[in-house]
Amino acid sequence: MTLRARQLHLNVNLLHSGVYPSAWRLPGSRPDAFVSIDHFVHVARVAEKAKFDAIFFADTPAINDRVDYRPINALEPTIVLASVAAATSHVGLIATASTSYNEPFNIARRFASLDIVSGGRAGWNVVTTADAAAGRNFGREGPVEHGSRYARAREFTEVVHALWDSWEDDAFLGDKASGRFVDPAKVHPIRHRGPHYSVEGPLTLPRSPQGRPVTVQAGGSDDGRELAAATADAVFSLAQTIEDGVAYARDLRARTIRYGRAPDAIMILPGLATVIGSTEAEAQRRQEELWEQVPVEYSLARLAGTLQVPVERLVLDEPLPDPLPLPENANHTMFRGTVALARRGNLTVRELLRALGGGVGHRIHVGTPEQIADDMEAWFRAGAADGFNLMPDVLPDGLEIFADAVVPILQRRGLFRTDYAGDTLRDHLALPRPASRFAPGSASRSA
Amino acid sequence: MTLRARQLHLNVNLLHSGVYPSAWRLPGSRPDAFVSIDHFVHVARVAEKAKFDAIFFADTPAINDRVDYRPINALEPTIVLASVAAATSHVGLIATASTSYNEPFNIARRFASLDIVSGGRAGWNVVTTADAAAGRNFGREGPVEHGSRYARAREFTEVVHALWDSWEDDAFLGDKASGRFVDPAKVHPIRHRGPHYSVEGPLTLPRSPQGRPVTVQAGGSDDGRELAAATADAVFSLAQTIEDGVAYARDLRARTIRYGRAPDAIMILPGLATVIGSTEAEAQRRQEELWEQVPVEYSLARLAGTLQVPVERLVLDEPLPDPLPLPENANHTMFRGTVALARRGNLTVRELLRALGGGVGHRIHVGTPEQIADDMEAWFRAGAADGFNLMPDVLPDGLEIFADAVVPILQRRGLFRTDYAGDTLRDHLALPRPASRFAPGSASRSA
């Protein structure tokens, strides 16, 4: 690759029908999108044609929202992405999997397998799953406690990374003449014995094209930032203002350095929901149409869930209760993002619901393609973002509009690629391919 | 579907390069087949063109063989099959997953997702994983003890089946006009509280096209047969002779009746390895070529592993040690199949190794297409098999020969379909689509 100016990175969230709870009801939407592989393949192909870095699949292994009203993340993400892999050639494939409700050996193997079948396009979004309903699907009365979740996640991720290194890159020989299939001296047990996991290894398969699939982290809490600083290649962060974004980036880069890593080792990709119209008025009408179809009792219940307060404590035409302490097992990122949004604008609950758009605290930009491109450029140049995790209002429609109208502006400004420069997700994200810790000369050879 | 005579069912094992350990060394084989999605897609397409019921993916979540000499089951099977699903339209997709090293919620969700993305073609091969190396990848010093493995497997499978029923077939509405997405009265927690698992449910996704993905079981022990009789739609069994096959079928059908099921509720599909030549001499030369490239020390070590005896106890030109008690944590099916093969022919260890072909105790037929078809017909008519789990000597080559030369004979005899009569794996296997236990009028509505 030739040297080139730093550029934006763009992922799109495969949010079933879109970020708005009412997205499935729009005339162009198919209600069964959330369980339609054709829908996900179509979204992935639109993203690939627009030269996006990756598609991104959020997940919770439980129903944690009102299914009577809206789609949920239904299908298991790696199954969807393995199928999408067969129908695409370049776009990265990032799937969420929980460290609280999986085994590290299975996760390491599944993502390395996805990396192999996709030719080096796999990413793992590490989550710890705060959700109580998820705990009840896995033999628990509720969620795992916050601190313990993150301690386990840290060890879990380290085990997964070690397993990804367990075959040196040249361990596979496949030499028909000599009959030597693999050089067993280059296949290493990892012999991990830790407080939460004991894993002998090695993995069952040769090192994958990316060496290690890309590790993504999405937690904004102190523990989440530490986990990211220690282990992540990219973060899916939450910030409502440029100032918040800059402060987050500064904090994360300082932590990253403390782990002996380069300050820019982690790509920072805040969530950005978009509602795009050819004029500002058209964009606002589109938002209005989406918003009108979200019943207020649904939004209110969802907000109560995020804040973990009884719904009776939320009064539509009053501000949020004050004080509002962080609950033990809240999703810290969503909690803080939501409260900050309300306090900053001094919003009533009704105004807050509208500002959230029925979403979960990520920033919503309503505007023209030019305005959205300006906004993204401002965040990028200020150091608040290396790119964005886009959450279109409606899928595939909102992504198609972005691809047709916003991407060309970003390309004209030299901010976004006009073609892929490489084949792997690491290539797209300008991340190096890590050497195996077991390779000769590796600093951690003795690990 | 119109009434038609009972027909054979055919699955093919996606055994990386084939059942012979030396298969990867043949001139037409690619050494990297075991990690090549193109290879698996090609094999699946050959099977689909020949109208096979399904492709079948064995698995152990550990390296339990000599990688220096031969390929292993490397990639995680559901990832491969989700990718193969996108490149095929009819052939069934059966993946192995262990009940000892997974969570029932994750397995239920992953296979239901595979069923949805494949349009109703998923099957789950339930194994309990006797392998000690697997235990060490999941925090154990060795394998889970045999009886406990099966007690857990039984409960695990029941939880998975309940989760597959947790959405009634018509729970999803997607009614844009009214805004009703799902009828929550038709989505049911399963509230399972058992000795090994507590799982609240419901699953995160609508009931899959098959209602329940096909459940396959491959254990031949007493516990394994009980598990099959209680829960399976098909068995991948082991029998070296028609008499063994008939006795197995009689035993399994009697057990099935005891569970209140129809005697023919389970499709019995013994493993059958094939080495095909246009003449018998050519088939034997082919076997010779494959066999010559398997080092005797490899076969011997593998046999010692199956029997769980020190390799020194196996003397090449003597019979197997006698007595040879069943070890606590052996794979019972392989152990018994191997010992029976040796005792029946009064074989020396050297002769046994050759009869095993470096395989694991499944029957090997070496012959012409006509001989192989005759043999299959004889087993089928005797009631020793409803079909076969084919294990071609070499892939894709051995499957292509079978498809080109054996399938047309079976079709001319009216023993095998000339086209698919339906779209789902249950359609191919002539298995009914089960009603949800929560559906109105279901006998187990109160479950």
Side-chain angles (χ1 to χ4, degrees):
Chain A
M1 279 187 290
T2 53
L3 275 175
R4 57 167 196 260
R6 177 172 159 261
Q7 289 196 311
L8 272 172
H9 299 283
L10 294 177
N11 296 343
V12 59
N13 273 30
L14 270 72
L15 289 157
H16 34 77
S17 299
V19 76
Y20 271 80
S22 50
W24 68 275
R25 294 179 69 182
L26 259 61
S29 299
R30 50 188 287 189
D32 64 350
F34 76 129
V35 286
S36 297
I37 189 66
D38 295 349
H39 168 74
F40 293 114
V41 165
H42 178 74
V43 172
R45 284 179 170 159
V46 172
E48 182 165 271
K49 189 155 172 260
K51 314 301 177 193
F52 272 45
D53 294 69
I55 59 177
F56 178 103
F57 222 119
D59 193 54
T60 304
I63 295 179
N64 65 347
D65 203 343
R66 291 264 304 267
V67 286
D68 54 340
Y69 177 65
R70 65 167 299 172
I72 53 170
N73 294 312
L75 299 165
E76 195 283 318
T78 62
I79 292 289
V80 176
L81 293 186
S83 208
V84 167
T88 53
S89 62
H90 278 77
V91 73
L93 308 165
I94 302 173
T96 298
S98 173
T99 53
S100 297
Y101 305 119
N102 282 290
E103 289 278 349
F105 192 88
N106 289 334
I107 290 297
R109 189 171 179 221
R110 205 145 90 237
F111 281 85
S113 295
L114 182 62
D115 206 40
I116 289 175
V117 307
S118 67
R121 296 187 280 143
W124 170 37
N125 179 39
V126 182
V127 299
T128 65
T129 314
D131 192 78
R136 291 191 291 270
N137 289 334
F138 296 89
R140 301 184 57 90
E141 291 304 309
V144 184
E145 177 272 321
H146 185 90
S148 163
R149 281 208 316 274
Y150 277 90
R152 294 175 69 94
R154 176 78 183 277
E155 187 183 341
F156 189 117
T157 307
E158 283 165 0
V159 171
V160 168
H161 287 187
L163 286 167
W164 284 340
D165 286 351
S166 62
W167 290 51
E168 293 181 43
D169 285 310
D170 55 354
F172 172 64
L173 304 168
D175 180 22
K176 288 185 180 184
S178 70
R180 293 184 74 210
F181 190 69
V182 161
D183 180 351
K186 294 184 173 177
V187 179
H188 306 272
I190 66 165
R191 299 201 179 95
H192 176 86
R193 301 283 177 276
H196 304 101
Y197 302 101
S198 290
V199 180
E200 180 70 10
L203 212 52
T204 58
L205 66 182
R207 202 147 188 261
S208 74
Q210 295 189 101
R212 298 178 201 153
V214 169
T215 299
V216 181
Q217 210 278 333
S221 69
D222 196 64
D223 288 330
R225 293 177 192 207
E226 283 297 296
L227 177 61
T231 67
D233 299 307
V235 291
F236 174 16
S237 58
L238 184 148
Q240 284 281 351
T241 65
I242 288 196
E243 295 68 36
D244 285 356
V246 169
Y248 173 87
R250 190 171 297 137
D251 175 73
L252 187 70
R253 301 208 193 285
R255 292 178 196 254
T256 308
I257 292 167
R258 285 204 291 277
Y259 283 98
R261 305 176 66 195
D264 59 354
I266 305 179
M267 291 290 145
I268 299 176
L269 309 173
L272 175 61
T274 53
V275 185
I276 309 174
S278 51
T279 64
E280 215 179 309
E282 188 189 305
Q284 273 159 3
R285 272 199 305 277
R286 182 175 165 102
Q287 186 193 29
E288 197 61 35
E289 186 188 357
L290 284 161
W291 177 240
E292 273 171 3
Q293 296 191 60
V294 183
V296 73
E297 72 269 20
Y298 164 77
S299 303
L300 208 54
R302 190 172 163 107
L303 176 61
T306 301
L307 303 177
Q308 299 202 7
V309 297
V311 73
E312 300 77 33
R313 285 198 62 203
L314 303 175
V315 182
L316 279 173
D317 293 310
E318 292 184 12
L320 286 184
D322 193 2
L324 199 55
L326 179 71
E328 167 74 12
N329 279 308
N331 178 315
H332 290 202
T333 310
M334 288 184 197
F335 180 92
R336 291 199 174 117
T338 302
V339 173
L341 183 64
R343 302 283 189 237
R344 180 179 307 115
N346 197 23
L347 305 181
T348 64
V349 167
R350 193 188 302 276
E351 289 162 342
L352 174 61
L353 293 179
R354 193 190 174 94
L356 289 167
V360 292
H362 282 285
R363 187 164 66 103
I364 304 178
H365 193 120
V366 182
T368 65
E370 202 75 36
Q371 287 173 326
I372 299 217
D374 288 349
D375 174 89
M376 292 171 74
E377 180 167 4
W379 279 62
F380 180 66
R381 297 210 184 277
D386 295 309
F388 297 91
N389 245 308
L390 289 179
M391 308 164 84
D393 50 359
V394 180
L395 284 173
D397 184 51
L399 179 64
E400 287 166 342
I401 296 169
F402 187 95
D404 290 345
V406 183
V407 167
I409 301 172
L410 298 173
Q411 288 171 332
R412 276 200 299 277
R413 296 182 188 177
L415 291 170
F416 191 62
R417 68 175 71 85
T418 54
D419 202 356
Y420 291 108
D423 297 319
T424 72
L425 178 54
R426 285 188 178 275
D427 289 341
H428 308 338
L429 290 170
L431 293 167
R433 184 181 187 282
S436 166
R437 71 196 62 195
F438 296 106
S442 164
S444 47
R445 168 89 168 158
S446 61
Chain B
M1 277 187 293
T2 54
L3 277 175
R4 56 167 197 262
R6 176 172 159 262
Q7 288 196 313
L8 273 171
H9 299 282
L10 295 177
N11 297 342
V12 59
N13 273 30
L14 270 73
L15 288 157
H16 34 76
S17 299
V19 76
Y20 271 80
S22 49
W24 68 276
R25 294 179 68 181
L26 259 62
S29 300
R30 50 187 286 189
D32 65 349
F34 77 129
V35 287
S36 298
I37 189 67
D38 295 349
H39 168 75
F40 293 114
V41 166
H42 178 73
V43 172
R45 285 180 171 158
V46 172
E48 183 165 272
K49 189 155 171 261
K51 316 300 177 193
F52 271 45
D53 293 70
I55 57 176
F56 178 103
F57 222 118
D59 194 53
T60 304
I63 294 179
N64 64 348
D65 203 344
R66 291 265 303 268
V67 287
D68 53 340
Y69 177 66
R70 66 167 298 173
I72 53 170
N73 294 313
L75 298 165
E76 195 283 318
T78 62
I79 292 290
V80 176
L81 293 185
S83 210
V84 168
T88 54
S89 63
H90 279 78
V91 73
L93 308 166
I94 303 173
T96 297
S98 172
T99 53
S100 297
Y101 305 117
N102 282 289
E103 288 279 348
F105 192 89
N106 289 336
I107 290 298
R109 190 173 179 220
R110 205 146 89 236
F111 281 85
S113 296
L114 182 61
D115 206 41
I116 289 175
V117 307
S118 67
R121 296 187 281 143
W124 170 37
N125 179 41
V126 181
V127 299
T128 66
T129 314
D131 191 79
R136 291 191 290 271
N137 288 335
F138 295 90
R140 300 185 57 92
E141 290 305 309
V144 184
E145 177 273 320
H146 185 91
S148 162
R149 281 208 316 275
Y150 277 90
R152 294 175 69 93
R154 176 79 182 278
E155 187 183 341
F156 189 117
T157 308
E158 284 166 1
V159 171
V160 168
H161 287 187
L163 287 167
W164 283 341
D165 286 352
S166 62
W167 290 51
E168 294 181 43
D169 285 310
D170 54 355
F172 173 64
L173 304 168
D175 180 23
K176 288 186 180 184
S178 70
R180 294 184 73 211
F181 190 69
V182 161
D183 180 351
K186 294 184 173 174
V187 179
H188 306 273
I190 66 164
R191 298 201 179 96
H192 176 85
R193 301 283 177 276
H196 304 100
Y197 302 101
S198 290
V199 180
E200 180 71 11
L203 212 51
T204 58
L205 67 182
R207 202 148 187 260
S208 76
Q210 294 188 103
R212 299 179 200 151
V214 170
T215 299
V216 182
Q217 209 280 333
S221 69
D222 196 64
D223 288 331
R225 292 177 192 208
E226 284 296 297
L227 177 61
T231 67
D233 299 307
V235 291
F236 175 15
S237 59
L238 184 150
Q240 284 282 352
T241 66
I242 287 196
E243 296 69 34
D244 285 357
V246 169
Y248 174 87
R250 191 171 296 139
D251 175 73
L252 187 70
R253 300 208 194 283
R255 293 178 196 254
T256 308
I257 292 168
R258 285 204 290 276
Y259 283 98
R261 305 176 68 195
D264 60 353
I266 304 178
M267 292 288 145
I268 299 177
L269 309 172
L272 176 61
T274 52
V275 185
I276 308 174
S278 52
T279 63
E280 213 178 312
E282 189 188 306
Q284 273 159 3
R285 271 198 306 277
R286 183 175 165 102
Q287 187 192 29
E288 197 60 36
E289 186 187 357
L290 284 161
W291 178 240
E292 272 170 3
Q293 295 190 62
V294 183
V296 72
E297 73 271 18
Y298 164 76
S299 303
L300 208 54
R302 191 173 162 107
L303 177 60
T306 301
L307 302 176
Q308 300 202 7
V309 297
V311 74
E312 300 76 33
R313 286 198 61 201
L314 303 176
V315 183
L316 278 173
D317 293 311
E318 293 183 11
L320 286 185
D322 194 2
L324 199 55
L326 179 70
E328 168 75 11
N329 280 308
N331 179 315
H332 290 203
T333 310
M334 288 184 196
F335 180 93
R336 291 200 174 117
T338 302
V339 173
L341 184 64
R343 302 282 189 237
R344 180 179 306 117
N346 199 22
L347 305 180
T348 64
V349 167
R350 192 188 301 276
E351 289 162 340
L352 174 62
L353 292 180
R354 194 192 173 93
L356 290 168
V360 292
H362 283 285
R363 188 163 66 103
I364 304 179
H365 194 120
V366 183
T368 66
E370 202 74 37
Q371 287 172 326
I372 296 210
D374 288 349
D375 173 88
M376 292 171 76
E377 180 168 3
W379 279 61
F380 181 65
R381 296 207 185 280
D386 294 310
F388 297 91
N389 245 308
L390 289 179
M391 307 164 83
D393 50 359
V394 180
L395 284 172
D397 185 50
L399 178 65
E400 287 165 343
I401 296 169
F402 187 95
D404 290 346
V406 182
V407 167
I409 301 172
L410 298 173
Q411 288 171 331
R412 277 199 300 276
R413 296 183 188 177
L415 291 170
F416 191 62
R417 67 176 71 85
T418 53
D419 202 356
Y420 291 108
D423 296 319
T424 71
L425 177 55
R426 285 187 178 274
D427 290 340
H428 309 337
L429 290 170
L431 293 167
R433 184 181 188 281
S436 165
R437 72 196 61 196
F438 296 106
S442 164
S444 47
R445 170 90 167 158
S446 60

